[in-house]
Amino acid sequence: MVNIWDYANELPRIKLKTVNGTELIGNVVAVFDADEIESAQDCIDVELDNGEIKSFFPEDIESIEVLT
């Protein structure tokens, strides 16, 4: 499982691969603690290149690659 907290401080541009094989590229906007969002899990929000912001839970992420 990916540790989404590794991306919380620098908010990098990433390529995120979901467990179903979808690859998305965008900028990390925030990482939220489960208590902050009243959820059972922490999540990472990514702003995709088309401007859409999507949230991902660790269980939905296969891998994250930081892009330079």
Side-chain angles (χ1 to χ4, degrees):
M1 185 180 307
V2 173
N3 182 358
I4 60 174
W5 289 99
D6 290 345
Y7 309 95
N9 292 327
E10 294 187 24
L11 303 176
R13 182 165 176 77
I14 61 169
K15 177 166 57 170
L16 184 147
K17 184 174 182 181
T18 65
V19 293
N20 66 8
T22 302
E23 289 187 350
L24 303 162
I25 295 177
N27 298 308
V28 175
V29 176
V31 178
F32 294 103
D33 184 82
D35 293 336
E36 290 179 299
I37 57 173
E38 298 179 5
S39 173
Q41 299 181 62
D42 299 342
C43 78
I44 186 170
D45 284 5
V46 179
E47 182 177 5
L48 305 176
D49 289 343
N50 66 5
E52 179 183 7
I53 296 176
K54 295 190 75 152
S55 297
F56 299 92
F57 296 108
E59 68 183 17
D60 300 324
I61 302 169
E62 182 176 311
S63 65
I64 294 178
E65 175 186 343
V66 174
L67 303 175
T68 56

